[in-house]
Every structure is written in C-alpha cells, then in structure tokens.
C-alpha cells in the first residue's frame, strides 16, 4: 500500500473526519519507522521502533485523533511519544502539543526528528506521563498511546472543562479504547472498541517491575 491507498483503506474502515484523513495524507509515516521497515510504512499495522515499543497502527491513530475532535486553538498532551508520528499528526491539528515518553532514547530521537521536520509547536519531555505534565495544564485534549490498567487520576485532573481524553484501558495484552469527557466538573466515559497497546508503565499505571518489552507483536 502507498499513502493514498492507506487513506482509502481508513475511509473503508469507517474513519470519517476529513481533517484527520487529509493530515494523515500529508505526514510521511516512512520517516518515523526504522529504515528496515520503510517498505511497510503504509501497511495498516503497528511496527517495532526499538526498545520493545511500537509505532501504532494507522487505523488506531486515526480513530484516537478523530475522537479528540481537535481544533486549531487547542493545547494537547500526548503520553507515549514513541516514534513521534502521532505527535506530528496532533501538531498539524492543534495549536500546541506537549508529548512525554518515559524512555529517554525514544524521547530524544522523536524530539530531533520532529525538529528536523520543522514542527515548532511541539515539546517532547522525558517523563512519566501517568502523572501528566502539570506545568502546562489544563489540556483541551489528552491522548495516551500505551495501555493502562485504569484511567490515571492525575490525567483527569489536568483535563480542561469540555476536555477530552482517549486512553486504552484493560489488561497487559488486551484493552478497550476509552473516551473520557469532562463537562462542568462531571466525567463521562464511553467505549470506542478493542485495541492492543504496549503497557503504560509508571505511577498510577503498570508497576515499574514488569517487562514492558515483551508485548509488541503478540
Ligand atoms: N504514539 C507512539 C506509540 C509508542 S508505543 C507511536 O505511534 O510511535 C508507547 C510508548 O509509550 C513507548 O514509547 C513507551 O516508552 C511509552 N510509555 C510507556 N509508559 C509511559 C509513561 N508512563 N509515560 C510516558 N511514556 C510512556
């Protein structure tokens, strides 16, 4: 598949948000995968990015981004920078993105890659995202791209009023995608379907002593 074919595929799979589709048509996923996987960049599947982590499947990227209903003035928090691909998509659709990864190597690589691609409205920090990033809270949208046993409380606290949060919640191997919406201090949670992510490791999520490198590709 090439980029245009992937977009057609995403439409057939039910992605309807034109802004998300046209952004995914613009961003070159092959720049975010290791060179040996470049030929698979437009297959609708996750791919290994080193350190036992993965770049998410394009359909899931589209589904999660669509669920956030981003507009150009919004401030976004992303947890799980990984390759930086999802970060780039968010940067096109919002005003500013704060992105966190607990793996220094991945955070450093993604920061370099995004700045080489001239993304100026992104900051990448090496940090435990389960705690959020209080200095710039509240956020209009929060996206977590690693699977959590629960919705971390700190993230709900850092949502703006009318904010939206998408996060995979479940066991280490299987999760369902939850959409959390905050309206006048009340929180509503809905289910967007099944998914599989590598674990979110940190305070308020999976414990540090699990081996988070054994989950991709299972
Ligand atoms: N959106 C990324 C997905 C990367 S995989 C992409 O498409 O490339 C999930 C990432 O979450 C990994 O890089 C992992 O290091 C990171 N992660 C896991 N737990 C975390 C935590 N508590 N805080 C920040 N990042 C975390």
């Amino acid at each position: 598949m090439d980029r245009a074919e992937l977009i057609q595929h995403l439409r057939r799979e039910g992605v309807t948000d034109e802004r998300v589709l046209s952004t995914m048509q613009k961003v070159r996923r092959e720049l975010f995968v290791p060179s040996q996987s470049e030929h698979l960049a437009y297959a609708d599947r996750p791919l290994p990015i080193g350190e036992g982590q993965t770049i998410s499947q394009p359909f899931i990227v589209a589904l999660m981004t669509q669920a956030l209903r981003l507009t150009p003035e919004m401030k976004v928090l992303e947890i799980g920078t990984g390759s930086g691909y999802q970060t780039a998509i968010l940067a096109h659709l919002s005003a500013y993105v704060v992105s966190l990864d607990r793996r220094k190597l991945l955070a450093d690589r993604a920061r370099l890659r995004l700045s080489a691609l001239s993304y100026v409205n992104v900051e990448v920090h090496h940090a435990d995202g389960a705690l959020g990033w209080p200095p710039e809270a509240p956020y209009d949208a929060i996206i977590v791209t690693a699977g959590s046993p629960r919705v971390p409380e700190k993230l709900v606290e850092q949502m703006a009023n009318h904010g939206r949060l998408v996060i995979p919640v479940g066991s280490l191997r299987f999760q369902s995608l939850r959409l959390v919406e905050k309206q006048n201090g009340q929180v509503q949670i809905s289910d967007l379907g099944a998914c599989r992510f590598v674990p979110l490791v940190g305070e308020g999520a999976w414990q540090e002593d699990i081996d988070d490198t054994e989950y991709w590709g299972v």
Side-chain angles (χ1 to χ4, degrees), residues 53-56 80 82-83 101-103 106 127-129 145 199-201:
Q53 309 303 305
T54 53
I55 178 171
S56 302
S83 65
D101 206 292
R102 67 184 281 271
R103 289 183 175 268
L106 296 179
D128 177 1
T145 62
L200 183 75
V201 180

Side-chain angles (χ1 to χ4, degrees), residues 5-211:
E5 285 165 346
L6 174 64
I7 302 307
Q8 287 316 314
H9 164 82
L10 295 177
R11 280 187 202 281
R12 283 195 301 275
E13 292 292 305
V15 179
T16 51
D17 186 324
E18 290 301 326
R19 293 187 65 231
V20 173
L21 289 165
S22 74
T23 303
M24 290 183 72
Q25 169 76 60
K26 273 198 284 243
V27 178
R28 293 170 59 193
R29 191 167 181 257
E30 77 269 23
L31 301 178
F32 295 84
V33 303
S35 51
Q36 69 268 25
S37 310
E38 258 176 48
H39 63 294
L40 294 171
Y42 297 104
D44 190 17
R45 50 175 277 195
L47 293 166
I49 55 169
E51 306 246 308
Q53 309 303 305
T54 53
I55 178 171
S56 302
Q57 177 190 354
F59 173 70
I60 294 290
V61 171
L63 190 71
M64 292 176 92
T65 311
Q66 178 170 275
L68 291 176
R69 296 198 189 147
L70 297 176
T71 54
E73 72 287 350
M74 285 186 175
K75 181 162 60 173
V76 183
L77 175 66
E78 177 191 41
I79 289 127
T81 317
S83 65
Y85 175 71
Q86 170 81 71
T87 324
I89 307 279
L90 298 169
H92 280 277
L93 292 165
S94 67
Y96 200 72
V97 184
V98 178
S99 184
L100 312 174
D101 206 292
R102 67 184 281 271
R103 289 183 175 268
K104 186 168 186 313
L105 181 72
L106 296 179
D108 288 348
R109 268 195 208 146
R111 188 184 303 111
L112 272 178
R113 180 178 284 149
L114 290 163
S115 101
L117 292 170
S118 305
Y119 286 96
V120 291
N121 60 337
V122 170
E123 63 185 59
V124 178
H125 299 279
H126 170 223
D128 177 1
L131 302 173
W133 189 257
E136 298 190 57
Y139 301 95
D140 303 299
I142 302 181
I143 178 170
V144 183
T145 62
S148 179
R150 64 189 71 83
V151 179
E153 240 170 72
K154 300 271 180 209
L155 298 186
V156 177
E157 283 170 17
Q158 290 171 40
M159 292 169 75
N161 193 19
H162 305 297
R164 295 162 83 81
L165 156 67
V166 277
I167 177 168
V169 175
S171 67
L172 281 166
R173 289 186 195 276
F174 301 99
Q175 305 94 34
S176 66
L177 208 52
R178 302 275 160 80
L179 170 66
V180 181
E181 294 171 86
K182 203 187 245 187
Q183 297 274 6
N184 308 318
Q186 303 277 72
V187 166
Q188 239 184 18
I189 303 185
S190 47
D191 201 326
L192 305 179
C195 57
R196 281 185 187 190
F197 278 82
V198 294
L200 183 75
V201 180
E203 215 173 293
W206 296 106
Q207 303 228 332
E208 299 280 349
D209 58 2
I210 64 143
D211 180 0

